[in-house]
Amino acid sequence: MTKKLPVRSRKRKGSAVEADSFPGIDTPARFYYKGNRLKQLRAFVYTIRLGTLSRAAEALFLSQPSVSLQLKALERELGMPLLERTRRRVTLTDAGEALYAMARPLVEGFENLDREFQAKTRTTHSGKLTVAAGSSTIQYLLPELVKAYRERYPSVHLQLANVTGKDGLALLRADEADIAIGSMLDVPNDIAWAPVYHYDPMLIMPPDHPLAAKQDIRLEDLSPYGLILPPQRLTTFRLVDMVFQQRHVPYTVAIEVGGWDVIKQYVAMGLGISIVTGICITEADRETLAVRNLRQYFPQSSYGVVMRKGKFLSPEARAFIDLIRPGLLTHRDYDESGHSGR
């Protein structure tokens, strides 16, 4: 009679391993899903960035249950909850906030590894750079920068996204823009802003306007005349309104229209006066308009680099920022992590 030999049970690779599987070895119990920390962190970062498991699964080309398993494995391995799940969205716990701040640059850096490597091993940049900016910035501030950038990096595909400040922040948070160039009044916690250029506020009017004969113009002098201003959603309108309200000076908006060139044209036609930022005043404008500095009443407008905290900057983006001000990144805490409250 043949004696049967005992069959040794084997654990399938990738399954859970308990400590008592190896007698005599003091190994802490571990639970993992496919045993890949990078996959877990990618699932975690994408879920927070996109707001839901389903969107994260779609972006990662995985099923929603797979993403859920990755997240549960990560929480179990780290020994604490990272997410609070609701019907519509997921939110971060305090521990999740800390992990997200550390994991996001790692995940983004890994995903950009190939492009970074190729850029560092070539003598010229040849990737893509998307810069978000408003109309006035694109028209008056960026031309010389764009010209210099194109001369130095002709193989880079440069895209200028003409957007408002709010839409520019949305592009940064969605990683659809590398950086933004513009002005800001309120800086969100997840955004870094480095002002570089500063422009005085200017009153413009037709040369034959009654105020054109005065050198020292008071804020009260503007009250009888209708103002031509950009739309209310833009920074200039908000600044003008804030100053008049704070000083309790009445004012009237005659025309609300977008575009500095249009405003200057309407002022030259005698349809009203306007308060504009000095960025849009050219030498040719001074021949057709009377211009007075209103810095004693209105704050300067500052323009600079806007980016998301913790954002992994491509070599193309860093090169563009260095053209604006060499060494700008080394003097500011751009790598400080921040989380959007959206």
Side-chain angles (χ1 to χ4, degrees):
M1 183 174 179
T2 304
K3 184 178 181 181
K4 292 184 178 180
L5 296 176
V7 179
R8 177 177 297 176
S9 62
R10 301 181 62 185
K11 290 285 186 180
R12 182 167 56 89
K13 185 178 181 180
S15 61
V17 179
E18 300 296 337
D20 58 2
S21 298
F22 300 90
I25 300 178
D26 187 15
T27 304
R30 290 175 60 83
F31 171 87
Y32 61 98
Y33 178 68
K34 296 187 178 178
N36 191 314
R37 177 58 61 82
L38 178 59
K39 290 181 180 179
Q40 297 170 358
L41 292 176
R42 288 186 78 220
F44 175 70
V45 169
Y46 272 74
T47 299
I48 300 307
R49 181 190 298 168
L50 300 177
T52 65
L53 269 68
S54 59
R55 291 177 183 174
E58 182 179 355
L60 293 169
F61 301 99
L62 296 172
S63 66
Q64 185 171 332
S66 295
V67 173
S68 180
L69 284 172
Q70 296 281 11
L71 296 176
K72 290 178 181 178
L74 182 61
E75 289 180 318
R76 186 160 180 173
E77 287 194 6
L78 294 179
M80 60 185 65
L82 303 172
L83 304 170
E84 293 179 355
R85 298 161 176 82
T86 62
R87 179 173 297 182
R88 293 186 176 181
R89 294 182 64 86
V90 292
T91 57
L92 288 169
T93 63
D94 290 342
E97 288 274 5
L99 180 64
Y100 186 69
M102 295 183 290
R104 185 174 60 187
L106 295 175
V107 170
E108 292 179 354
F110 185 85
E111 291 180 343
N112 286 280
L113 180 63
D114 289 346
R115 185 173 67 173
E116 176 81 3
F117 174 76
Q118 294 297 328
K120 287 185 178 297
T121 55
R122 288 194 301 266
T123 56
T124 59
H125 296 68
S126 60
K128 179 181 178 181
L129 173 63
T130 300
V131 179
S135 298
S136 59
T137 304
I138 293 175
Q139 182 176 359
Y140 298 105
L141 180 59
L142 291 187
E144 291 302 318
L145 284 171
V146 169
K147 179 182 178 182
Y149 191 81
R150 291 293 300 149
E151 289 175 351
R152 190 170 300 185
Y153 309 108
S155 58
V156 174
H157 178 190
L158 178 61
Q159 179 182 7
L160 301 179
N162 189 347
V163 293
T164 64
K166 181 179 179 180
D167 291 339
L169 293 180
L171 290 181
L172 290 176
R173 288 168 173 154
D175 283 330
E176 295 178 9
D178 297 282
I179 59 173
I181 307 295
S183 61
M184 298 192 73
L185 283 180
D186 305 310
V187 184
N189 292 332
D190 62 325
I191 297 297
W193 179 53
V196 178
Y197 308 98
H198 308 280
Y199 300 94
D200 287 344
M202 299 293 186
L203 171 68
I204 59 174
M205 51 203 157
D208 58 352
H209 193 276
L211 292 179
K214 302 182 64 172
Q215 289 300 320
D216 296 323
I217 297 177
R218 299 175 305 139
L219 194 63
E220 292 79 5
D221 295 333
L222 308 185
S223 293
Y225 307 102
L227 295 175
I228 303 175
L229 295 178
Q232 295 186 32
R233 68 179 185 275
L234 299 184
T235 302
T236 299
F237 191 106
R238 294 165 58 194
L239 277 175
V240 170
D241 178 73
M242 178 182 68
V243 171
F244 276 104
Q245 295 287 351
Q246 288 178 345
R247 293 179 174 269
H248 305 288
V249 176
Y251 73 100
T252 302
V253 178
I255 301 175
E256 188 176 320
V257 62
W260 292 126
D261 283 351
V262 176
I263 290 177
K264 290 187 293 184
Q265 179 184 354
Y266 282 12
V267 170
M269 293 171 60
L271 301 180
I273 62 176
S274 185
I275 302 167
V276 302
T277 181
I279 189 176
C280 73
I281 300 298
T282 66
E283 290 302 320
D285 293 328
R286 295 182 181 275
E287 298 178 0
T288 59
L289 298 169
V291 182
R292 298 290 184 273
N293 195 310
L294 292 182
R295 186 176 177 181
Q296 60 178 331
Y297 298 111
F298 296 90
Q300 282 187 320
S301 295
S302 299
Y303 291 72
V305 178
V306 186
M307 60 176 290
R308 179 168 55 79
K309 289 182 180 178
K311 168 72 176 177
F312 179 87
L313 280 181
S314 67
E316 292 81 9
R318 288 181 174 273
F320 193 89
I321 294 173
D322 282 341
L323 282 178
I324 296 174
R325 177 175 290 176
L328 180 64
L329 292 178
T330 62
H331 298 297
R332 293 189 62 85
D333 198 13
Y334 281 105
D335 292 329
E336 176 187 352
S337 299
H339 180 54
S340 171
R342 59 196 169 101

